[in-house]
Amino acid sequence: MSDLLIRNARILLPNENFLTGDVLIQEGKIVRVEPEISTSAAKEIDATGLTLLPGVIDPQVHFREPGLEYKEDLFTASCACARGGVTSFLEMPNTRPLTITQEALDDKLALAASKCLVNYGFFIGATPENLDALREANPTCGIKIFMGSSHGALLVSREAEIEPIFAKGTRLIAVHAEDQARINERRKQFQGITEPAIHSQIQDNQAALNATILALKLSKKYQRRLHILHLSTGEEAELLRQDKPSWVTAEVTPQHLLLNSSAYEKIGTLAQMNPPLRAPKDNEVLWQALLDGVIDFIATDHAPHTLEEKGKGYPQSPSGMPGVETSLALMLTQAVQGRCSVAQVSHWMSAAVAKAYGIPNKGLIAPNYDADIVLVDLENYRPVLREELQTKCGWSPFEGWDLTGWAQYTIVGGQVVYDRGKLDTTVRGTALSFS
């Protein structure tokens, strides 16, 4: 593997200060970070005018392979990651077959090794019947429980089914926190309404809060490591502000920070996701919780569906939207506009994720860390254009938004996988490890 030298970059340091200087990479590792490095390397990048950040670790994606490759596959999704500055991802178990056994996990790891341009890790899905696999499957970043918004074997919605998962083992449990019983009741109540906005009323704030309360109760009972996926409501954020044990973490998506239920009027079912978009007041409370550290980091919940599927009309339209290509630029645009700092964005999208999941040597720009990094342009704005998207589904809920902070170079393990619009599809990431 040839050496890489990045010159004249504005480098985000681990102390959250910036240094204008050079970074030398050898054998996939950062070896020097200095104001000026006089040596030469096999490949050099002049990063004048660009900011160097740790690569994004996206801790919640649905990349659809195996079984649903017509929506997305590991190759197209990892191309989208590379374009978006995402150098590692953690993928969910609701593929076909479900990732609920060691065999299914092994199959996914083999697929990823052959197809992924960036680094990868996978959750194992909980069912009421696979308790042994949940403890023994390896390597995995954690256990995923769908408390709601799922069907079939992955729906684990009753406390009597959920508690045994918390009671045995030590592995991190990540929950999709929605109360399925409440959702079922409200579906009957609003039956026949086909306006997409009704989705946010059917799967309302209370449905999310109920499930988060239950997950928190069980986590405290068993002192079990809990992560709450895609927190969407102000009520949940305030609950955690008052009662968040040290072993509990939570995440939020850019969608739940930047979009709200008004989006249904503009983009219809493209705004439909689970948990749903909420009211503008929820945006504000979630932002404050993120700034205050009540919410620990950011994930996209990248969950693509085809435009044909989305066009079926509610309630036949599926929930979910793509996100890996736009998440970093969306958040850096917020930083440039003064809502947070660039260092905070990097912490939420890289270092905090690495810490929460015990991923070694990632999330910072420092000697001995893996050279998973991204050079972004914070000086210029470009719109989100459908024709430029790498995701197979070919659309974004943020189409037309004018953003800064787009990735110019994405580097995975010291290899340049994305270079100002061009992908090197020969690069392959590696399987993540978890402590």
Side-chain angles (χ1 to χ4, degrees):
M1 188 179 293
S2 60
D3 298 351
L4 174 64
L5 181 58
I6 299 171
R7 294 195 183 278
N8 307 312
R10 180 172 173 256
I11 305 161
L12 178 64
L13 301 175
N15 64 6
E16 300 194 344
N17 292 326
F18 286 92
L19 167 73
T20 298
D22 303 347
V23 176
L24 180 63
I25 295 161
Q26 294 176 334
E27 297 182 352
K29 295 276 188 182
I30 298 167
V31 293
R32 293 169 66 186
V33 182
E34 297 169 15
E36 186 174 359
I37 296 173
S38 57
T39 188
S40 60
K43 181 176 177 62
E44 296 193 7
I45 295 173
D46 181 1
T48 301
L50 301 179
T51 298
L52 186 65
L53 303 175
V56 172
I57 307 170
D58 191 333
Q60 192 198 170
V61 300
H62 302 261
F63 282 171
R64 306 304 191 198
E65 187 174 6
L68 298 163
E69 291 90 345
Y70 72 93
K71 300 175 192 276
E72 187 82 279
D73 61 59
L74 288 165
F75 175 75
T76 59
S78 64
C79 287
C81 284
R83 180 173 180 255
V86 176
T87 54
S88 300
F89 65 80
L90 305 180
E91 205 262 352
M92 288 298 169
N94 55 332
T95 45
R96 295 179 184 172
L98 304 174
T99 317
I100 56 177
T101 64
Q102 182 68 56
E103 180 184 20
L105 178 62
D106 290 343
D107 286 347
K108 263 194 183 174
L109 286 161
L111 281 168
S114 69
K115 301 182 81 167
C116 280
L117 280 62
V118 301
N119 306 313
Y120 47 88
F122 298 100
F123 281 88
I124 187 161
T127 77
E129 283 82 41
N130 71 336
L131 289 175
D132 288 343
L134 297 182
R135 291 195 300 273
E136 297 167 8
N138 199 53
T140 182
C141 52
I143 297 164
K144 169 68 178 287
I145 302 180
F146 286 90
M147 300 174 72
S149 292
S150 187
H151 51 81
L154 280 182
L155 180 62
V156 188
S157 59
R158 297 186 299 113
E159 184 171 353
E161 297 170 333
I162 299 168
E163 184 161 2
I165 301 168
F166 277 85
K168 291 185 178 181
T170 59
R171 182 166 278 164
L172 176 148
I173 295 173
V175 295
H176 179 124
E178 288 190 278
D179 179 350
Q180 190 63 41
R182 181 175 176 85
I183 292 170
N184 292 343
E185 290 172 9
R186 291 177 71 78
R187 276 187 185 145
K188 294 174 187 173
Q189 183 181 343
F190 295 103
Q191 193 169 7
I193 300 175
T194 59
E195 289 295 322
I198 202 67
H199 186 64
S200 292
Q201 292 189 52
I202 292 171
Q203 297 179 211
D204 66 348
N205 289 38
Q206 192 64 47
L209 181 62
N210 289 355
T212 294
I213 288 170
L214 174 57
L216 196 59
K217 180 182 87 169
L218 293 173
S219 173
K220 289 161 68 177
K221 180 175 180 178
Y222 295 102
Q223 304 272 294
R224 186 65 183 267
R225 175 76 175 87
L226 171 66
H227 178 64
I228 302 166
L229 299 160
H230 45 41
L231 205 76
S232 66
T233 72
E235 290 90 337
E236 291 169 284
E238 289 307 313
L239 170 67
L240 291 181
R241 189 180 291 277
Q242 301 302 320
D243 183 12
K244 188 186 177 204
S246 60
W247 60 86
V248 173
T249 52
E251 72 187 29
V252 66
T253 70
Q255 302 93 288
H256 288 116
L257 292 172
L258 300 174
L259 298 174
N260 53 58
S261 52
S262 68
Y264 293 112
E265 295 177 25
K266 299 169 187 170
I267 60 173
T269 56
L270 299 187
Q272 181 188 334
M273 66 175 295
N274 296 330
L277 300 178
R278 307 297 186 186
K281 67 177 182 181
D282 293 290
N283 296 143
E284 297 303 320
V285 177
L286 292 169
W287 261 109
Q288 196 58 53
L290 181 63
L291 290 165
D292 293 343
V294 174
I295 297 172
D296 299 272
F297 49 84
I298 289 168
T300 65
D301 191 22
H302 177 98
H305 301 283
T306 66
L307 283 167
E308 182 182 4
E309 289 173 318
K310 282 290 193 176
K312 287 180 178 178
Y314 191 82
Q316 281 71 42
S317 49
S319 295
M321 55 182 72
V324 293
E325 250 165 302
T326 52
S327 59
L328 181 59
L330 283 165
M331 295 307 299
L332 289 174
T333 300
Q334 295 297 304
V336 169
Q337 294 174 357
R339 196 153 200 181
C340 55
S341 70
V342 171
Q344 283 175 309
V345 169
S346 180
H347 175 76
W348 297 328
M349 301 187 80
S350 301
V353 182
K355 179 182 177 184
Y357 282 97
I359 305 171
N361 304 316
K362 296 193 189 295
L364 296 173
I365 298 174
N368 299 317
Y369 274 73
D370 295 337
D372 298 331
I373 50 182
V374 57
L375 279 160
V376 300
D377 177 3
L378 292 171
E379 303 298 321
N380 298 291
Y381 281 74
R382 278 184 62 82
V384 179
L385 298 175
R386 186 172 288 192
E387 58 267 27
E388 294 181 355
L389 295 172
Q390 296 294 321
T391 176
K392 188 183 283 190
C393 74
W395 62 273
S396 167
F398 299 102
E399 189 174 348
W401 286 41
D402 208 28
L403 304 178
T404 191
W406 288 104
Q408 302 301 301
Y409 296 86
T410 302
I411 296 161
V412 176
Q415 301 176 87
V416 179
V417 67
Y418 180 77
D419 179 343
R420 295 163 295 179
K422 294 180 181 178
L423 290 162
D424 183 347
T425 58
T426 66
V427 173
R428 290 294 176 267
T430 57
L432 298 170
S433 58
F434 310 98
S435 60

